[in-house]
Amino acid sequence: MSGPVTLDRREGPHGEVVLRRRDEHYEIIANGTFLMDTSDGRSERLLVDAALDALPGERRAGASVLVGGLGVGFSLAHAAADPRWGRIVVVEREEAIIDWHRRGPLAAISGAALADPRTVILHTDLVEHVHTSTDTYDALCLDIDNGPDWTVTEDNESLYSARGLAACAARLTPGGILAVWSARPSEDFEATLRNAGFSGVRTEEVPVARGVPDAVHLAVRPG
């Protein structure tokens, strides 16, 4: 395996973001912290599938989803490949990441999804969006950090607080699903979800080659 090659490096309002290639895979680094790469994608796809499967059967056809964080595009591409999803809205605050998908090498992953008429990309901050938008969705699939206990920037910490989760609940239709990706399971976050009024709180895990498993935390907004 060769060392990483930097393809693009940009300074944005939230710090530095870097796109690197390591052999045949791409990596996104934010402020020196590894976020994700294109080597696997199982847990990002689980994020989308688990949210849809958690909806009642009669609500799955045409369900709307907000994907928080474009990343390397696995979640968006997987959602767009499933005809049951209706409106697919992706919120991404880093203009560089959007560019890498629209005009850069990550278009190989997301090109078809971006061309899908169901897909809308919003260049805005997810935390701000959930607090200020009046739109609602059947599912929120959030993957903007390494998890509730390991955020990319301090501003993101509020998303996993009682106030942030209340804002997420307000963006969900009654009975809608909140799905949150994490690099490790968090019992504390499960407790926070329950205390915030969500029901059906549970965690699905994806084993990794080394270390603790990736996790998807799931919760239901009561109807």
Side-chain angles (χ1 to χ4, degrees):
M1 178 179 291
S2 61
V5 176
T6 297
L7 303 178
D8 195 10
R9 183 192 306 272
R10 302 196 201 176
E11 287 289 338
H14 305 282
E16 181 187 71
V17 287
V18 177
L19 178 66
R20 303 193 309 197
R21 186 182 66 242
R22 188 187 297 270
D23 295 323
E24 73 272 26
H25 297 298
Y26 297 97
E27 304 173 336
I28 295 177
I29 314 295
N31 295 318
T33 299
F34 173 87
L35 286 186
M36 59 192 68
D37 64 19
T38 58
S39 64
D40 193 340
R42 287 176 300 154
S43 57
E44 290 91 341
R45 290 187 282 269
L46 174 64
L47 179 72
V48 172
D49 286 342
L52 187 61
D53 291 344
L55 286 168
E58 68 275 10
R59 290 186 56 181
R60 293 174 192 164
S64 59
V65 59
L66 182 149
V67 177
L70 179 55
V72 296
F74 283 144
S75 295
L76 166 61
H78 196 60
D82 192 328
R84 292 176 296 175
W85 287 114
R87 183 168 52 117
I88 303 169
V89 176
V90 181
V91 174
E92 174 55 59
R93 72 182 187 181
E94 297 291 350
E95 184 177 4
I97 292 178
I98 297 174
D99 285 347
W100 297 335
H101 283 275
R102 285 182 170 158
R103 290 173 283 276
L106 297 182
I109 296 171
S110 61
L114 290 175
D116 193 302
R118 296 172 296 166
T119 299
V120 175
I121 305 293
L122 300 181
H123 177 207
T124 189
D125 183 86
L126 176 67
V127 178
E128 179 181 353
H129 182 73
V130 297
H131 281 285
T132 60
S133 175
T134 57
D135 292 341
T136 57
Y137 307 86
D138 296 304
L140 304 184
C141 295
L142 308 186
D143 182 9
I144 64 169
D145 295 298
N146 282 325
D149 304 322
W150 186 4
T151 60
V152 175
T153 58
E154 290 185 4
D155 293 346
N156 287 356
E157 293 177 2
S158 65
L159 182 67
Y160 311 103
S161 67
R163 181 171 177 270
L165 292 175
C168 289
R171 301 282 69 75
L172 284 168
T173 56
I177 307 301
L178 174 64
V180 179
W181 189 93
S182 180
R184 56 176 177 257
S186 173
E187 292 184 2
D188 288 344
F189 184 57
E190 287 187 347
T192 302
L193 286 166
R194 294 187 181 97
N195 291 337
F198 285 89
S199 63
V201 176
R202 60 187 176 87
T203 299
E204 295 195 18
E205 299 181 0
V206 176
V208 297
R210 293 184 296 274
V212 297
D214 292 340
V216 174
H217 295 289
L218 296 160
V220 181
R221 177 193 164 177

